[in-house]
Amino acid sequence: MRSFVVIAAALGGVSCAFPNDNSDKVFVTLQAPSHVVLRGQQVPVSAQAWRVVGTDTQAITNVDFAFTSGSGSVARVDKDSVGYATVTGVNSGNVDIIARAVSFEHAQEADLSLRVSNPLEIDSVRPKTAHYGELLTVYGVGVDSMFLASLNSVNLIEYPFSRVRDSSNGLGRISFWVPPPAQSGQLFFLGAGVFGLDTATTNVLKEDVFEPNDTIPADVNLDAGGPWPGTALAPILFTNPALAFEPVDRTTGAGEDWFHFHTGDTTQALTFFITYPSFGDTSASATRTFFLDSLSYFAGGPGDPVEKFFGRDSADFISSDFYRCKGFEFSPAQLPRESTTVALKTLPSHDLHIVTFFSRTQRYALTVGQGYFTADPRIKPDAFEENDFCHYADTRVITIPTRASGLPGFSDTLNIDNPFEIDWYRISVPAPGLGDSVLFRLQGRPFIAGRDSSDIDVYVLTVPGSTGSGVTEVGSSVNAGSTENLVLGLGAGSYYVAVVDYAGVAMRYSLCIKQIPLTGVRTCNLILPGPPAPQMSKARPQASAPLTGAARNSFLGSRRRP
C-alpha cells in the first residue's frame, strides 16, 4: 500500500449545523505521497471527510469532492474517482491544492501545499563561506543524486554516508569536503541526468579548517571515536582528505602543519596515513613529515620556526627525511615518496605528533585508522612488531649463539608492512672465537615468483652504552634488489640491525644472522633462500649515508632551502 503523508486542515471554527446532518462539525483532509512533485510528473492525492463527535473523529464515506489548484501554471489537478485526483507538475514553484466536500458546503476545506521542482534543484549551500577541508552541505530536491560537485573546476570530495532524502517531504542533502585549490564561485553540479549552477556564490578561504596549526598543534582526541560508527568505515578515527599546505612564510620560504593526537589506550594498534601529491621530500622544494611522541615549540627561541621545535634529547622518531634512534640521527638512502604510512601494533606514548614542513602550496590528506593496516592484505604483523621505532627493539633482544656451540643462528620470515618502513632489531653478539665474524643474510620473498620490484637494505649500528657512545654505523649492504650478504667482524655486545625499504614496496623477507668461522663453511640458512646477491650496486655516490655520531643541533634538522 502506498505510504501517504497527511496534511490536516485546522479543526476549529466550524459551528454551523448542516442540512440533513446531525453531526457537530465536518472537516476535510488531503493526502499526497510527497510534498515535492517533479515537473511533468503525476502524483495521486486523496481526500477524506471527517465528522467531529465530542473528542473523537469519524470518517464519512461516499463523499464527493471538488479539487482545485491555486496556480494552474505551476500544477494542474484532475479529478479521478470518488475522493481521488491526479496532480501534474507544470513549472517549478509552490502551489496549494484544495479539496472541498461538495455535500457539506460549510465543511472546512483541506489545503495541501506542494512544491513543483526540476529533478535536481539546489535550495541552499551551507556554510556560505568555507575553509579548505571544511564540509559543505547542499540542500534541495534531488541533491542526494549528485555524482559530481565542483567549485571553479575543482571537484569536491564526497563525505561518506551523507546522502540523505527525507521521505516525508522529498528533500535531500549531501556533503562534500572542499579541497585545495578550489576557489570562490557558484557550485556546479551533475546528477540525475541534469547539470547546472547554484544561484548563490560559495566563498572559499585559502587556508584549511585547522589553521592556525603551525606553532600550536591542532588537537585531536582519538578516544572520541570516529565519524562513522557501525559502518564499514568504523575503524577510521580521524580523516580529512582536503587539507592544505597554505602559502609559505615570505621570510623563511617554508611553512608548518602540526597535529597532536592523544589517546588513553597505548596497547591498541593505530595506523597513520599522510598523503601529499608531490614527490621529492628531501629536495629543496621539500615536504618533510615527522612522526614522533615528543614535540614542543619554544616561541621565544632563536632561529627560524623549524629550529624552535624541541623534544626529548633521547626521542626516537620516524620521518620522510631522516630518523632518530636514542637521539641520534640515522639517514639511510631511500627513494623520494609521496606518502608516509606508519602502522603501530602498540603505541610509544599517549601523545603522538605529526608535523610537516613544506615550501609550496598543495593539497594533502591525513587519516588515522584503529587497527594494523598494511599495504598488501596478505602481509600480517610479524613476530617482532612493534619495531618501527628503535627503542621497541630493546624489549626483545635476539641472542646470537657462539659458533662453537654448534647451534643454528637466528632465522625468520619478517615483513615490510608499508612502503618505506624501517624494521629495527637488537642483537646480542657473543665474544668471537679466533677469526670469527657475523654473517647477515637478507632475501626478499615475493608472493609471485619473478615479480619483485622490492629493494631492501641492511645496516648494523652500535648501541649506546654497549658497543658505542652513540648510534653509529658499523657496516651495511645496499645492493640493488632484495638480496643482501654482509659479513662483519663484531666484538661482543649489543647492536641494532636496521632493515630499510629503499624502494617503497611492501614485502616479505627472510633474515638470517649467524657467527661464522674465518674459513670453511660460511653460510646461514635462510627460510626459503633466494638467488645469490647481484653484483650491481645502487647508483649513488656513497653506499650508506653515515651517521653523525651525535645528536643534531636542531631537533628536526636544518631548514633546506633552494
Side-chain angles (χ1 to χ4, degrees), residues 201-547:
T201 296
T202 297
N203 298 311
V204 177
L205 299 179
K206 295 184 178 181
E207 61 179 23
D208 71 39
V209 69
F210 291 101
E211 285 296 323
N213 65 333
D214 46 2
T215 60
I216 299 175
D219 190 75
V220 180
N221 179 12
L222 297 179
D223 295 333
W228 303 293
T231 71
L233 299 181
I236 295 179
L237 300 179
F238 170 87
T239 188
N240 197 310
L243 300 174
F245 296 140
E246 293 85 6
V248 300
D249 183 273
R250 294 178 61 182
T251 302
T252 63
E256 306 85 39
D257 272 4
W258 180 11
F259 287 86
H260 170 213
F261 298 95
H262 56 92
T263 176
D265 181 7
T266 60
T267 64
Q268 66 181 315
L270 293 177
T271 305
F272 296 79
F273 306 85
I274 310 102
T275 304
Y276 27 84
S278 70
F279 286 81
D281 290 0
T282 56
S283 68
S285 57
T287 48
R288 304 166 57 213
T289 297
F290 296 84
F291 181 92
L292 60 171
D293 64 356
S294 172
L295 190 63
S296 299
Y297 186 80
F298 183 24
D304 65 17
V306 69
E307 296 169 329
K308 298 179 184 180
F309 283 94
F310 67 95
R312 297 191 314 274
D313 289 340
S314 60
D316 297 352
F317 62 66
I318 300 167
S319 88
S320 59
D321 188 13
F322 65 92
Y323 303 81
R324 278 174 78 105
C325 173
K326 302 294 178 67
F328 293 84
E329 179 188 331
F330 175 46
S331 300
Q334 291 180 293
L335 291 177
R337 68 191 72 178
E338 81 287 358
S339 63
T340 297
T341 300
V342 179
L344 300 176
K345 192 174 180 181
T346 58
L347 308 181
S349 172
H350 295 282
D351 298 277
L352 297 166
H353 300 262
I354 293 176
V355 61
T356 299
F357 301 98
F358 53 90
S359 57
R360 59 184 173 186
T361 59
Q362 62 178 336
R363 168 186 152 193
Y364 73 100
L366 178 58
T367 297
V368 182
Q370 188 173 44
Y372 195 92
F373 297 98
T374 60
D376 187 325
R378 294 172 295 184
I379 296 176
K380 305 300 180 183
D382 61 46
F384 287 86
E385 296 292 348
E386 179 52 47
N387 61 341
D388 287 3
F389 292 89
C390 79
H391 74 263
Y392 279 120
D394 296 338
T395 63
R396 186 172 181 182
V397 179
I398 301 169
T399 299
I400 307 301
T402 63
R403 180 183 63 84
S405 71
L407 296 174
F410 168 80
S411 184
D412 205 347
T413 295
L414 306 159
N415 300 319
I416 296 293
D417 300 318
N418 289 294
F420 301 105
E421 182 185 43
I422 293 183
D423 281 346
W424 292 89
Y425 305 95
R426 180 167 172 168
I427 63 172
S428 177
V429 175
L434 183 62
D436 285 350
S437 301
V438 178
L439 171 64
F440 300 83
R441 290 194 65 194
L442 197 64
Q443 176 62 52
R445 294 182 58 192
F447 289 100
I448 301 176
R451 294 176 58 182
D452 184 11
S453 59
S454 68
D455 189 347
I456 55 175
D457 300 326
V458 60
Y459 296 78
V460 178
L461 316 163
T462 59
V463 173
S466 176
T467 51
S469 59
V471 179
T472 56
E473 181 181 326
V474 177
S476 62
S477 180
V478 290
N479 295 312
S482 294
T483 300
E484 306 291 350
N485 288 280
L486 175 64
V487 178
L488 296 173
L490 300 179
S494 290
Y495 298 86
Y496 287 124
V497 178
V499 177
V500 176
D501 177 17
Y502 170 84
V505 178
M507 62 173 295
R508 299 178 305 173
Y509 65 90
S510 293
L511 174 63
C512 183
I513 307 172
K514 185 179 180 181
Q515 202 172 58
I516 58 173
L518 177 64
T519 59
V521 180
R522 295 165 57 89
T523 61
C524 183
N525 293 325
L526 283 166
I527 298 174
L528 296 179
Q535 297 303 308
M536 183 180 297
S537 295
K538 298 184 184 73
R540 56 179 181 169
Q542 186 172 341
S544 172
L547 299 175

Side-chain angles (χ1 to χ4, degrees), residues 18-21 26-29 47-50 60-68 79-84 98-110:
F18 306 116
N20 304 318
D21 194 281
V26 173
F27 66 93
V28 178
T29 60
Q48 175 66 57
W50 301 86
I60 306 174
T61 59
N62 299 320
V63 177
D64 187 27
F65 297 94
F67 299 89
T68 57
K79 182 179 177 180
D80 297 328
S81 57
V82 175
Y84 290 91
I98 299 169
R100 179 176 59 85
V102 175
S103 301
F104 300 92
E105 58 180 281
H106 296 289
Q108 186 165 343
E109 302 171 339

